[in-house]
Amino acid sequence: MDLTVWRTFVTVCRLGSLSAAATELHHTQSAVSRQIAGLERQFGVSLVERHARGVRPTAAGEVFRRHAVATLNEADRAVRAVRDVRDGRGDRPLAIGATPSLAAGLVPEAVRDLLRREGPVRWSLVPALSAPLHSRVVAGDLDLAVITDAPPGLPADPRVERRFLGLDEMVVVLPLGHPRAGDGRVPVAALADETWTEDNDGSAALLRRHAARAGVDARIDLTAADLPGKLALVATGHAIALIPGVLTRALRADVTTVGLVDPPSRGIYTITPRRDLHPLAAPLLDLLAGAFVPHRPDGSAAVARSCTTD
């Protein structure tokens, strides 16, 4: 598949300008326009719209952009891998997956320690939700993934080895200046009148279950496309949100957190294929187990446990 047109579209979206994209790609503006128009004919929908300062993706264009970026990144990795083999640098790169909250801090920190110990290593990191990460480990696309048992939970799959790192308490993220900022643990009933935002079904299910146990409803009125979008809605005062405690060390500066009474929690696990284990997977697993320190809003730290399960 020729991905040139896809790359052109992604560049137009990034720069917000047909002429700027043409300059960067060394095309003419008319050629860029023709490529975008060809994509729109292929899909039967408008992908970009003009505004005062240039162009921006439509709703359909934004969906396509996200998938196109992921596809182009994978294609670039494939090209580099083939060239490495051609040039005699055929060492197998370490392909790691992690849920967005774990990819924001815990996993990169563990890889940093691995590189310090092992020396230069080619590696990649794929952020995604637990179910697709599990599928990619099974398919052989990933050597290791760090996932959670948040709803709908983890499948019992004999094709992977699962290792428990510990339990992670969920916390509530608030905009700075919120009346509850600085409080200790609060009951979820005290937040019943708030507007909540969520970015995935698993986190929303944890929130609804926790609220139901307290006899209240959580009004999830706003939906975010991803974790950064969810935090942006909180930072700008539109909503509050439930987030993993492990994410607190990587939060943006314009939000704060508060703990919940009897909070919901999720288990953190690593999964690896039972066969063809990457040589560096085992040392990275040990580093992840040692690095995981469950967050506690009251300042205490739980002792992380590790075990191997089927």
Side-chain angles (χ1 to χ4, degrees):
M1 176 186 293
D2 184 0
L3 297 176
T4 301
V5 179
W6 289 33
R7 199 175 300 278
T8 297
F9 177 77
V10 168
T11 304
V12 168
C13 293
R14 174 168 56 83
L15 298 177
S17 166
L18 296 174
S19 60
T23 299
E24 180 171 307
L25 297 170
H26 305 291
H27 297 329
T28 64
Q29 183 171 338
S30 60
V32 169
S33 297
R34 286 196 300 272
Q35 290 180 57
I36 301 301
L39 275 177
E40 292 178 327
R41 285 194 301 272
Q42 177 183 346
F43 293 132
V45 64
S46 295
L47 297 177
V48 296
E49 59 187 2
R50 296 186 179 276
H51 62 93
R53 298 181 181 176
V55 297
R56 62 189 167 212
T58 62
E62 177 58 23
V63 170
F64 175 60
R65 185 198 65 79
R66 292 199 298 269
H67 288 283
V69 168
T71 300
L72 291 168
N73 287 341
E74 287 294 333
D76 289 342
R77 280 193 285 270
V79 170
R80 288 197 299 270
V82 171
R83 288 174 176 169
D84 285 344
V85 172
R86 179 196 66 190
D87 298 337
R89 300 192 303 271
D91 292 341
R92 176 178 162 189
L94 178 62
I96 307 165
T99 60
S101 60
L102 294 161
L106 176 71
V107 172
E109 290 167 5
V111 173
R112 175 197 60 201
D113 294 339
L114 179 72
L115 298 180
R116 287 174 176 170
R117 192 164 75 180
E118 301 290 339
V121 173
R122 292 187 300 122
W123 65 286
S124 61
L125 176 61
V126 177
L129 297 181
S130 294
L133 289 175
H134 177 275
S135 298
R136 295 190 67 171
V137 170
V138 171
D141 296 335
L142 296 174
D143 296 302
L144 178 152
V146 190
I147 61 177
T148 82
D149 62 4
L154 299 177
D157 192 330
R159 296 170 294 181
V160 300
E161 190 81 15
R162 195 166 75 203
R163 181 174 181 176
F164 177 69
L165 296 183
L167 289 175
D168 184 35
E169 288 187 0
M170 306 295 284
V171 299
V172 178
V173 62
L174 310 168
L176 294 180
H178 189 280
R180 289 287 181 175
D183 286 359
R185 293 179 182 265
V186 301
V188 71
L191 303 171
D193 293 333
E194 298 279 353
T195 295
W196 295 78
T197 179
E198 279 302 342
D199 64 323
N200 69 79
D201 293 339
S203 182
L206 285 174
L207 174 59
R208 289 192 176 101
R209 289 178 187 176
H210 182 66
R213 287 199 302 268
V216 297
D217 291 325
R219 294 190 298 105
I220 305 176
D221 292 339
L222 296 176
T223 301
D226 50 26
L227 185 56
K230 177 173 164 176
L231 294 175
L233 287 171
V234 174
T236 50
H238 295 292
I240 64 174
L242 193 70
I243 63 167
V246 72
L247 184 62
T248 56
R249 55 181 165 180
L251 283 178
R252 50 193 288 172
D254 51 1
V255 297
T256 188
T257 61
V258 65
L260 288 169
V261 175
D262 188 23
S265 63
R266 59 183 194 157
I268 307 297
Y269 296 82
T270 59
I271 56 170
T272 51
R274 288 190 181 273
R275 299 176 181 175
D276 193 26
L277 191 66
H278 192 286
L280 294 176
L284 181 56
L285 288 172
D286 291 338
L287 288 168
L288 287 165
F292 180 75
V293 179
H295 171 82
R296 290 288 177 79
D298 58 9
S300 64
V303 176
R305 298 178 289 129
S306 64
C307 63
T308 301
T309 62
D310 292 333

